[in-house]
Each structure stands twice: as C-alpha cells, then as structure tokens.
Amino acid sequence: MIPREVLRQVRRIEIRTRRLVNDVFGGEYHSVFKGRGMEFDEVREYQPGDDIRAIDWNVTARMGAPYIKRFMEERELVVTFLLDVSASGRFGSTGKTKLDTAAEICAVLAFSAIQNHDKVGAIIFSDEVEKYIPPDKGKKHVLHVVREVLFYQPRRNRTDVATALDYLLRVSKRRGIVFIVSDFLSPDFSRPLAMAARKHDVVAIWLSDPREEELHGSGLMRVWDQEERVERVIDVGSRAARERFRSYVERRNQETAAVFRRHGIDCVRIDTSQEYIVPLSVFFKSRAKRR
C-alpha cells in the first residue's frame, strides 16, 4: 500500500505540473522534439499544386488518373530521464532541495511527453544505476515515474554520470530524447556523453543552489560534505579563502559547460532559489526558433 501522504504529494505535483504543461508549454514540446520521420498515411487524387514527386505511379496506372502518396509525421518518441539521486541533491538553502526541483521538472516534461503520446522511462542513479523504469505510455505510468523520483531512497551517496550514460547506451534500442537531471558534481563523463549525443537528442538540466556558488558569513564555518560523508571547517571570514572557493566554482562550471558545448548538448541551467519555469520556457522557445 502507498502511504496517503505520498499520494497527496504526487497529486499536488500532478495538478501543478499539468497546469504548467497546458498554460506554458502548450504545443512547444511538439515543435521542439520531432518524431522519428514520416510514415505513409494514404493515397489521394492529385490536385493542382501538389508535388509531382509524390505521385504513386502504380496506383495512377491502375486508376487511370494521377494519385499521390500522403505521409504523416511518425510522432512516437521515447523520453528517458537520467535522474541523479546522489547525496548532493538533498541540499537546499531556500526551502527546496535540488531533488525537489528535479522531481517537478521531470513531471512537467513527462506530462508534456504523454500529451504527445510518447513513452517515458527513467534511469535513477548515484555512482551506480540504482533503478531502471522501462519506457511506457499513459498517465498511470507517468505518476509511477514521478512517485519514484520523489520518494526513492538511494543506496549510495556519490555521483557518476558516466555510469548512467553507459547503462543508457546498453538498454536504449533506438533514438530518443534523454534529459540528464543533475548538478553534475561528477567525475569525467565526456566520452559516454559524446556516444549518447550521437545516438540520442540529449538535454542537460543542470541544477545548482546559490549557497554552493559563493561563501557568505564570517569566522569559522562547519560544512558537511554530503557525498564524502565528512565534516570540514572553512574560514569564511578569510578573503583569500572566499576567493579560492569562488575561483574553484567558476573553473568547475566553465569546464562542465565546455563539455556540453563540445558535444553539442543543449543545457538548461536552473537555480533552485528561482522558478524553474522561466529557464525551461526560454529553452523551449529558443530551440523552437532553431528548428
């Protein structure tokens, strides 16, 4: 039996995200993520202005009049979420953790997908693949994915994006859309990312918390490293220490962004202290223009 509070929280996310899908994203998902190609629909009589290259000469010969083939976009896609559930995702300085934000983003994108009759699946990972949810259709399946994203209890603390990408490449049978939802505080994942980008349409949803970007305060501060499970003491009152930390964060962010650019990966940066709808909407609109 699923606890009542779990069901209530899933229901709250469903209501919020469905409204966002209907009000904000509308047909943008459809225009941004195209189907696999065109499939045959029917033949009909040729009309002035039709492309003569579409004439079906076999049918034309049988009917004694020109007929053309009509095609329709083959819409069905497979959307896979690679969700990072490592310990750093449980951090949140503004009332919402990175994992809370990740759950809502996955829900918005998943409901957009099923509205377009696409399949949705998930790979939940830390420094190992912890759970795989095979792609399927329908509201019931999406609610199952959302519930797992919200309440999954990870076995391990660290992050390894490469492990998740390697697993994706083994289980994915054909081209699809892949959303990697993570803070990307991970060892190098460039090689499997390049391989995934050749096979799939990959989008990075890069989550961060403002307290991870800059040190504030004065004096000595105890800091708990969620993934290493150790406590550190930092002199946040030291200008030199603050500058070293700022330089480290800036260098790490630049290196991660460079990996995405090098492999042609679209990246959506989301600060958990702000509404995620704005950067997501900007991404959809800019990508729709490129299409």
Side-chain angles (χ1 to χ4, degrees):
M1 294 292 291
I2 301 171
R4 189 170 297 176
E5 178 53 37
V6 171
L7 292 174
R8 276 200 296 265
Q9 192 162 343
V10 172
R11 179 62 176 158
R12 281 196 297 270
I13 284 193
E14 180 194 359
I15 292 169
R16 171 173 163 76
T17 54
R18 272 195 176 279
R19 189 180 301 127
L20 290 170
V21 169
N22 293 330
D23 296 348
V24 179
F25 294 114
E28 288 178 351
Y29 173 95
H30 181 94
S31 63
V32 166
F33 298 112
K34 297 294 186 182
R36 288 182 291 162
M38 306 299 288
E39 63 178 358
F40 175 72
D41 185 24
E42 63 178 3
V43 293
R44 65 164 173 80
E45 282 194 72
Y46 176 85
Q47 297 173 3
D50 285 339
D51 188 345
I52 60 171
R53 291 173 296 180
I55 292 177
D56 186 322
W57 294 106
N58 290 329
V59 176
T60 296
R62 288 200 306 270
M63 302 300 292
Y67 275 75
I68 66 167
K69 292 179 180 178
R70 290 188 66 231
F71 294 85
M72 61 182 292
E73 183 186 357
E74 190 177 3
R75 261 302 318 165
E76 184 182 286
L77 290 165
V78 174
V79 179
T80 305
F81 297 100
L82 269 60
L83 176 69
D84 174 5
V85 293
S86 62
S88 60
R90 298 196 285 271
F91 181 74
S93 65
T94 59
K96 182 184 283 189
T97 69
K98 286 181 280 186
L99 272 175
D100 291 335
T101 302
E104 287 201 23
I105 290 170
C106 287
V108 166
L109 297 170
F111 281 120
S112 297
I114 64 165
Q115 215 175 53
N116 284 275
H117 311 293
D118 294 337
K119 292 182 177 181
V120 174
I123 296 171
I124 297 173
F125 72 96
S126 52
D127 62 353
E128 67 178 17
V129 172
E130 301 218 2
K131 190 177 186 67
Y132 173 54
I133 305 174
D136 206 347
K137 289 184 177 182
K139 175 183 171 182
K140 184 178 179 181
H141 177 72
V142 164
L143 290 175
H144 168 61
V145 172
V146 171
R147 188 171 69 243
E148 289 291 339
V149 168
L150 271 174
F151 298 102
Y152 184 80
Q153 296 298 315
R155 296 186 296 270
R156 300 170 69 92
N157 294 311
R158 297 183 181 180
T159 312
D160 192 342
V161 176
T163 297
L165 287 167
D166 285 336
Y167 187 86
L168 168 76
L169 291 167
R170 290 199 301 273
V171 299
S172 58
K173 302 303 181 187
R174 59 182 176 88
R175 182 174 176 82
I177 303 166
V178 177
F179 291 101
I180 312 173
V181 188
S182 175
D183 55 17
F184 295 100
L185 301 176
S186 167
D188 180 57
F189 52 89
S190 182
R191 184 174 176 275
L193 182 67
M195 295 171 66
R198 285 196 290 270
K199 183 175 182 181
H200 300 286
D201 187 348
V202 180
V203 180
I205 308 291
W206 185 358
L207 304 176
S208 64
D209 185 283
R211 287 298 296 273
E212 295 175 321
E213 302 288 311
E214 192 172 351
L215 293 175
H216 296 280
S218 60
L220 299 178
M221 177 184 291
R222 290 180 176 178
V223 179
W224 177 252
D225 188 321
Q226 292 268 41
E227 297 200 4
E228 297 292 337
R229 314 305 291 171
V230 295
E231 186 179 76
R232 307 179 191 276
V233 177
I234 301 175
D235 183 4
V236 295
S238 164
R239 183 174 179 178
R242 291 199 304 271
E243 182 60 29
R244 282 197 302 272
F245 183 78
R246 187 194 64 77
S247 297
Y248 163 74
V249 170
E250 188 174 307
R251 184 174 65 254
R252 182 194 68 202
N253 289 347
Q254 287 174 350
E255 289 172 354
T256 303
V259 169
F260 295 140
R261 285 196 303 272
R262 188 159 62 246
H263 300 302
I265 305 296
D266 279 332
C267 176
V268 187
R269 290 212 63 179
I270 294 178
D271 183 331
T272 56
S273 67
Q274 300 171 358
E275 271 292 339
Y276 59 83
I277 288 305
V278 175
L280 267 186
S281 185
V282 168
F283 160 70
F284 271 90
K285 286 181 169 59
S286 65
R287 182 156 173 164
K289 287 179 182 176
R290 295 206 307 270
R291 290 280 181 174

